[in-house]
């Protein structure tokens, strides 16, 4: 007979120091749910539901509804049958369950290499210096584009890459905000810039032709491309791999369902991955950083985001 675990949940709200501008719009507060599972031995383990509905995950309201209908008990059987329409709930409950049974997983090196997020627009020109002054072991920055007119962003990009120390790599994240001709225009510039590690999600995932269009862009340009929004769910990840995407895959594990399904898939197919934050709290952050230890990931982790929050 399946045994029961005690289930509890609590909502949280974390405010950004400054509202975050992306091509999805302005984000002021990160809201989510912390869940806990306790076993009969009195051990408790935590998980986090950190939805990102504009990436296709469930909404916060759907997460709350799921938690409310569970009541105060859940069985392992119920955890593995959480539907794919609730990927953040799958992640939270399974990771808490695994934490309950494999507490030794909770250890990752403290000197992990993080990529630090810069604000959109001209602010990046000063912001990188502030971050680098605090931590000169930084290897990688990420800059959001597709927020201002492309010509303006290209001008800023040229200035930024001239300023950066030679050891620093720069990721550009368009969040799907470019059309094909804008992407070609940008790529013709970045093909000439040594500092560019890759461009993330140049074209919108909303257009079903855009995976093929990005495959084509990848063939025409030397700049490496990464998929993010196009691989936001486990089924989309499988689909991109089946279509022979050879670029980088950005893995937002906290919105991609059961870790027990995601990690072996990435391992088996030897994907070129970058783990990335969904601006979660330390609960999901620790879980994902532990998961990274199970995979080869030579690229800086997209977890240099803690400077964005107020205490
Ligand atoms: Mg991205």
């Amino acid at each position: 007979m399946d045994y029961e675990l005690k289930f509890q949940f609590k909502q949280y709200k974390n405010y950004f120091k400054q509202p975050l501008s992306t091509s999805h719009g302005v984000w002021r507060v990160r809201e989510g749910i912390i869940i806990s599972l306790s076993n009969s031995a009195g051990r408790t383990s935590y998980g986090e539901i950190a939805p990102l509905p504009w990436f296709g995950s469930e909404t916060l309201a759907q997460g709350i509804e799921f938690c409310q209908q569970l009541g105060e008990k859940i069985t392992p059987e119920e955890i593995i049958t959480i539907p794919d329409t609730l990927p953040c709930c799958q992640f939270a409950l399974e990771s808490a369950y695994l934490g309950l049974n494999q507490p030794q997983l909770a250890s990752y090196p403290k000197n992990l290499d993080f990529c630090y997020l810069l604000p959109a627009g001209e602010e990046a020109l000063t912001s990188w210096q502030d971050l680098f002054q605090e931590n000169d072991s930084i290897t990688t920055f990420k800059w959001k584009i597709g927020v201002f007119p492309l010509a303006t962003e290209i001008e800023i990009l040229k200035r930024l890459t001239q300023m950066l120390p030679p050891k620093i790599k720069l990721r550009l994240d368009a969040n799907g905000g470019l059309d094909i001709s804008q992407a070609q225009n940008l790529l013709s510039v970045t093909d000439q810039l040594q500092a560019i590690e890759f461009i993330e999600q140049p074209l919108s995932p909303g257009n079903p032709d855009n995976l093929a269009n990005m495959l084509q862009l990848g063939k025409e340009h030397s700049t490496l491309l990464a998929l993010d929004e196009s691989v936001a769910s486990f089924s989309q990840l499988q689909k991109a791999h089946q279509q022979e995407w050879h670029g980088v895959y950005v893995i937002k594990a906290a919105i991609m369902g059961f870790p027990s399904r995601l990690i072996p898939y990435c391992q088996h197919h030897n994907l070129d991955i970058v783990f990335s934050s969904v601006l979660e709290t330390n609960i999901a952050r620790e879980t994902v950083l532990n998961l990274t230890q199970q995979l080869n990931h030579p690229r800086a982790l997209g977890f240099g985001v803690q400077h964005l929050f107020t205490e």
Side-chain angles (χ1 to χ4, degrees), residues 55 142 144 173 175 200 228-229 250 252:
F55 270 64
K142 170 155 130 177
K144 293 280 183 185
D173 188 358
N175 287 118
E200 202 168 305
D228 184 3
E229 283 87 341
V250 176
K252 289 180 156 54

Side-chain angles (χ1 to χ4, degrees), residues 6-173:
K6 186 178 174 200
F7 171 78
Q8 288 183 301
F9 73 98
K10 196 178 171 193
Q11 275 178 254
Y12 70 82
K13 275 187 186 193
N14 283 335
Y15 288 86
F16 296 114
K17 278 182 195 159
Q18 285 179 36
L20 224 58
S21 298
T22 77
S23 69
H24 298 292
V26 177
W27 197 7
R28 296 172 196 283
V29 53
R30 167 28 117 191
E31 293 184 84
I33 306 162
I34 304 297
I35 64 105
S36 70
L37 299 178
S38 308
N39 63 17
S40 55
R43 188 177 157 74
T44 297
S45 176
Y46 296 91
E48 179 176 348
I49 300 169
L52 217 51
W54 53 93
F55 270 64
S57 87
E58 67 268 57
T59 61
L60 178 68
Q62 287 168 318
I64 293 168
E65 193 187 341
F66 169 78
C67 292
Q68 283 171 338
Q69 59 81 33
L70 276 183
E72 291 182 357
K73 303 268 184 218
I74 189 165
T75 63
E77 169 73 10
E78 285 174 298
I79 293 173
I80 58 169
T81 53
I82 298 171
D84 285 342
T85 50
L86 300 171
C88 301
C89 296
Q90 288 181 334
F91 170 83
L93 274 287
E94 192 189 58
S95 55
Y97 179 63
L98 294 174
L100 207 51
N101 291 288
Q102 297 164 293
Q104 72 276 15
L105 280 181
S107 61
Y108 59 88
K110 298 302 165 198
N111 58 349
L112 291 173
D113 183 15
F114 291 145
C115 169
Y116 288 80
L117 185 62
L118 301 176
E122 269 198 324
E123 259 186 85
L125 297 171
T126 49
S127 175
W128 80 265
Q129 301 182 61
D130 299 339
L131 289 161
F132 196 67
Q133 242 163 33
E134 274 174 40
N135 176 4
D136 65 6
S137 64
I138 290 177
T139 63
T140 314
F141 287 113
K142 170 155 130 177
W143 184 46
K144 293 280 183 185
I145 56 167
V147 178
F148 298 99
L150 184 62
T152 309
E153 291 183 332
I154 287 176
E155 269 321 296
I156 300 168
L157 173 65
K158 287 178 177 168
R159 286 162 64 196
L160 180 59
T161 52
Q162 278 168 11
M163 294 168 87
L164 291 174
K167 69 160 193 166
I168 299 280
K169 291 195 283 278
L170 184 65
R171 298 174 183 173
L172 304 182
D173 188 358

Side-chain angles (χ1 to χ4, degrees), residues 267-302:
Q267 268 166 343
H268 180 71
H269 296 288
N270 200 21
L271 304 183
D272 184 353
I273 60 175
V274 169
F275 280 99
S276 180
S277 161
V278 294
L279 304 172
E280 59 283 271
T281 75
N282 269 336
I283 303 279
R285 178 185 176 88
E286 300 266 312
T287 304
V288 177
L289 293 179
N290 282 323
L291 291 174
T292 67
Q293 299 308 294
Q294 298 178 35
L295 289 172
N296 267 337
H297 57 87
R299 300 182 186 280
L301 299 162

